Amino acid sequence: MWGLLLCGGWLLAAGYLAGATGGCWHQCCPGRNNTCWAPGTRRARCYCDSYCERTGDCCEDYHAACRRAAVGCTVGPWGPWSGCSSPCGVGSKARSRQVTVPPRHGGEPCPDVKQRRGCLGEHPTCGMAKEVAKILPDSFSRDFRDPWRRAGLLLPEEPSGSPLPSYCSYFRLTQVGLPCRGQAWSRQLHRDKRVCVECRGDASHRRPHCRGHGLQGARTFWVAASVLGCQGSWVQEGLQEGCVCPSPALIFV
């Protein structure tokens, strides 16, 4: 009986001493992990992370406990690049790959699984995104004298014949200049406001769209034709054919 107790005590003491000078049997960490440590000799800490091989402070049983059972990360092939985030101008595209085997027991950590690079959007309709819209409230008549044009030049009358198609453009204002406070209608324009701008056909050039109606999702620019210096930017959120904007509305000129 006493022999069994002595044998058991010796085994417990041996296990304690082994833990005091090692400790990696139950923890192996990939990369650098300052919490992955065990008590070492002379009351100093030793580590069980793979970074300890660089710093030289691995526990005595690190190689036996961790490196022999280590499983490094394995990743699959790169997926295709995404489309450009901007339909026109500078944007970015991304691609990714999947982890097929995660690291275990202090194996090599996974490399980057996402990549991003710059791109230049070249949508076929990008020319529209470069046009600057001129806007007025729909209360103005078509013979309004535009201060942005040469003196004495009026907006041309719509030629006779079949009328050009009309549609509504919906925008989210992203920037509004301080001079827009000069008139009552332009004071209603403010950042984040959603506005409806009606296009009654580009009668001056017989085009099916108005100049400056933008491109969906792209940031474009506008000026208020009756308020000098009133200008800003917006993002087109959508178009609706054959409609009339609810009041208060704006029109392209």
Side-chain angles (χ1 to χ4, degrees):
M1 186 66 174
W2 284 104
L4 291 174
L5 291 174
L6 289 173
C7 182
W10 182 86
L11 290 173
L12 289 174
Y16 175 80
L17 291 174
T21 58
C24 290
W25 288 106
H26 300 290
Q27 59 175 351
C28 295
C29 309
R32 183 172 184 174
N33 188 341
N34 290 337
T35 64
C36 190
W37 62 274
T41 58
R42 298 180 182 178
R43 298 182 180 179
R45 290 184 178 184
C46 62
Y47 290 86
C48 302
D49 58 354
S50 57
Y51 195 79
C52 73
E53 294 186 287
R54 297 186 181 182
T55 54
D57 52 2
C58 298
C59 293
E60 293 181 1
D61 62 344
Y62 170 75
H63 288 278
C66 298
R67 298 309 297 167
R68 291 181 182 179
V71 176
C73 179
T74 303
V75 295
W78 286 106
W81 287 102
S82 67
C84 193
S85 61
S86 174
C88 301
V90 178
S92 63
K93 56 176 58 178
R95 68 174 182 175
S96 62
R97 55 184 175 180
Q98 300 295 323
V99 175
T100 57
V101 179
R104 296 192 299 272
H105 307 302
E108 289 298 321
C110 295
D112 291 337
V113 294
K114 292 183 180 181
Q115 285 185 342
R116 187 177 298 273
R117 69 181 183 185
C119 61
L120 187 64
E122 296 179 340
H123 193 275
T125 57
C126 281
M128 298 180 185
K130 298 178 182 179
E131 298 174 348
V132 177
K134 292 182 181 179
I135 58 173
L136 285 173
D138 61 354
S139 58
F140 278 83
S141 62
R142 291 291 295 171
D143 61 353
F144 168 73
R145 188 183 299 273
D146 185 353
W148 293 86
R149 293 172 177 263
R150 294 182 183 276
L153 182 62
L154 302 181
L155 291 174
E157 296 294 332
E158 182 173 335
S160 60
S162 59
L164 290 173
S166 64
Y167 58 88
C168 300
S169 297
Y170 298 94
F171 296 91
R172 183 74 61 181
L173 296 172
T174 56
Q175 185 178 3
V176 178
L178 290 177
C180 295
R181 300 176 181 176
Q183 290 191 16
W185 74 269
S186 58
R187 282 197 294 271
Q188 304 302 313
L189 304 176
H190 55 81
R191 187 176 180 181
D192 291 331
K193 182 177 182 179
R194 192 171 192 256
V195 296
C196 179
V197 189
E198 185 179 337
C199 175
R200 298 169 182 171
D202 191 343
S204 60
H205 295 89
R206 299 297 296 176
R207 297 191 304 178
H209 74 272
C210 289
R211 178 176 295 276
H213 83 168
L215 181 66
Q216 186 165 357
R219 178 172 175 262
T220 55
F221 299 91
W222 56 268
V223 296
S226 66
V227 187
L228 289 176
C230 176
Q231 57 191 355
S233 61
W234 55 19
V235 175
Q236 189 208 97
E237 294 186 340
L239 297 176
Q240 183 178 351
E241 298 290 341
C243 81
V244 176
C245 288
S247 183
L250 303 173
I251 59 172
F252 291 104
V253 295

